[in-house]
Each structure stands twice: as structure tokens, then as C-alpha cells.
Amino acid sequence: YDANWQHVGWAGGRRGSEAEFLEWRQRTEEEICGRWGPVSFMIAIVMQRQAGSKRMPEWEELAATACAVQNMHIQACSFPGLACYWSSWHSAARDSKEMRAFLRMGEEDKCLGFLMVAACNPELKDTRTRTMDTHMCVEWRG
């Protein structure tokens, strides 16, 4: 961004003065260091398109990738000192050609975000409330 902000804009193509750019740059840097500074690992979530003539539809590959991420999240939840969440991150960085090169992505691959993983205090209690009627509700229809 820093070298070409006047030509390409920032934050998804936004344009403005140098002062506005520098304000956005500072805010973004503080967010990255503040929110993601304590993160132990950032695991890139990339849907790698199938090669060959008989390919699955893209939505099926996206769904399969999401299921794999959910499985990682479920596994992480079994460890009390571990916290994680899926972040779609900043689209301007996530979808950039630099990120594609860094992740060695193919032409049709898609970065869907990052699984943020960090150590946490295992004594923290889960304060979310769930009831069977809202959390585990299945309606079977014939």
C-alpha cells in the first residue's frame, strides 16, 4: 500500500488525501497489532480448486473447505487452554496478488480467511447460554 496508495487507493480502492491514508494506515496497524498480536498461529484457509476435466462445482469445494475448518475448530475446543476463530481478515490484504504469491495459490484458488489460534487462560468460563430448544433444534419434514 505505502508505495502506490495514490494510484490504487487503499482499503478496497478508497481514495483521499495523504492525511486520510496515514490515518487509515495507523488505525489498521493498531488493529493488526492489537487484535492479532497475541495470536500464536494464523492458519490460512485456502480452497484449492480441483484440477482435471471432471471437477466438482466450486460451491462444493468451498463447503468442503469450510467443513475442514469446522473440524479443526471442534478439535481445538477439546483443549481448555486453546482459543480459535475464523477471521475473514482484511479483504484488501487477503485478496491481494501479494497474498496469492505468499500462499503459492493457483489461479482459481481462493483464500477464505485465517483460522486464528492462541493460548488462553484455561480457567475462563464459557459464558454463552444455550438451551436445548434453541441450540439443538431439528425439524424433520417429509
Side-chain angles (χ1 to χ4, degrees):
Y1 290 115
D2 293 337
N4 300 306
W5 69 269
Q6 291 174 312
H7 305 291
V8 296
W10 66 91
R14 202 169 97 208
R15 298 184 182 273
S17 68
E18 183 175 10
E20 290 171 313
F21 168 73
L22 293 174
E23 179 186 333
W24 171 83
R25 186 76 170 95
Q26 167 125 18
R27 204 172 50 246
T28 302
E29 189 172 320
E30 288 170 0
E31 180 183 355
I32 289 170
C33 294
R35 181 186 293 178
W36 295 303
V39 169
S40 304
F41 300 97
M42 291 175 68
I43 301 170
I45 302 168
V46 177
M47 178 208 69
Q48 188 174 23
R49 281 296 274 157
Q50 207 174 23
S53 59
K54 292 183 111 180
R55 300 189 332 172
M56 295 180 353
E58 183 181 25
W59 73 267
E60 287 186 25
E61 292 193 52
L62 286 165
T65 303
C67 288
V69 173
Q70 183 180 28
N71 287 337
M72 288 190 292
H73 193 270
I74 290 169
Q75 183 64 34
C77 287
S78 68
F79 295 95
L82 199 59
C84 66
Y85 69 96
W86 180 338
S87 171
S88 56
W89 220 45
H90 294 282
S91 60
R94 181 195 66 224
D95 300 336
S96 69
K97 64 181 179 209
E98 291 84 4
M99 184 65 74
R100 294 184 72 75
F102 178 73
L103 296 174
R104 297 184 187 111
M105 293 169 54
E107 193 66 34
E108 294 185 285
D109 299 347
K110 286 193 168 51
C111 180
L112 306 176
F114 294 85
L115 185 67
M116 306 299 191
V117 182
C120 69
N121 180 350
E123 303 300 317
L124 291 175
K125 286 189 65 114
D126 187 353
T127 59
R128 297 173 291 182
T129 57
R130 299 175 189 93
T131 60
M132 288 302 260
D133 61 324
T134 60
H135 184 65
M136 299 295 287
C137 181
V138 176
E139 181 180 326
W140 296 98
R141 298 180 182 193

